[in-house]
Amino acid sequence: MLNGDNQSDTIGAVELFKIMSDPLRLRILMLIHDELALSVGDLTKALQVSQPKVSRHLALLRDSGVLHDQREGVWIFYHFPPDLPLWIRHIFDTVRNGQPALINQEKIRLSAIKNRKKPQSINSIIE
């Protein structure tokens, strides 16, 4: 029930915790958890790290199935897949609720970005 319909395609707990063990990847996941979808540019500004470094981590998260990407013109937004198993969503909720200060500075930097590009099809991302 908590694994979703496609259990064979589901990332395992060991792989998920290995992914989350990297502080940068964990902060990326928590930011996307809060914002629903973020671009590489927004992540580099919020995290204050280089674009190639963020892109490498996003590629790993995408290849593992934890994130999906969606192109809108020149922008690529990263978000959780709609079929992400419930147990993984619960873990993300628990981490975010248990460590609310984990991304405080990053959230402040995100809110300071003027004219931030948001995905036009946000409803298709969260459904």
Side-chain angles (χ1 to χ4, degrees):
M1 181 178 202
L2 291 179
N3 290 328
D5 295 331
N6 261 340
Q7 291 186 24
S8 62
D9 295 338
T10 302
I11 185 172
V14 172
E15 292 83 9
L16 178 65
F17 286 111
K18 282 182 183 178
I19 286 169
M20 292 176 62
S21 69
D22 181 88
L24 181 59
R25 286 193 297 265
L26 181 60
R27 290 182 5 241
I28 288 170
L29 290 169
M30 292 302 100
L31 284 168
I32 292 173
H33 179 273
D34 275 16
E35 298 291 322
L36 300 180
L38 286 170
S39 69
V40 176
D42 288 343
L43 286 166
T44 58
K45 290 174 186 166
L47 297 164
Q48 294 185 323
V49 294
S50 69
Q51 181 271 323
K53 187 171 187 171
V54 170
S55 292
R56 278 194 310 274
H57 286 279
L58 287 169
L60 188 144
L61 292 166
R62 184 194 60 226
D63 293 346
S64 71
V66 174
L67 289 182
H68 278 179
D69 59 359
Q70 177 176 324
R71 180 176 287 278
E72 288 188 16
V74 298
W75 299 90
I76 298 176
F77 293 94
Y78 289 85
H79 59 89
F80 294 128
D83 60 347
L84 190 68
L86 193 55
W87 69 270
I88 294 176
R89 290 184 185 274
H90 283 303
I91 289 171
F92 293 159
D93 290 341
T94 301
V95 171
R96 186 66 184 112
N97 292 331
Q99 297 288 309
L102 181 69
I103 54 171
N104 280 354
Q105 293 303 311
E106 291 84 353
K107 294 284 289 181
I108 291 167
R109 288 190 285 268
L110 264 181
S111 67
I113 300 172
K114 296 190 186 325
N115 301 322
R116 205 169 103 207
K117 176 76 171 148
K118 302 237 180 175
Q120 292 177 354
S121 55
I122 193 71
N123 290 333
S124 67
I125 288 175
I126 58 174
E127 291 176 352

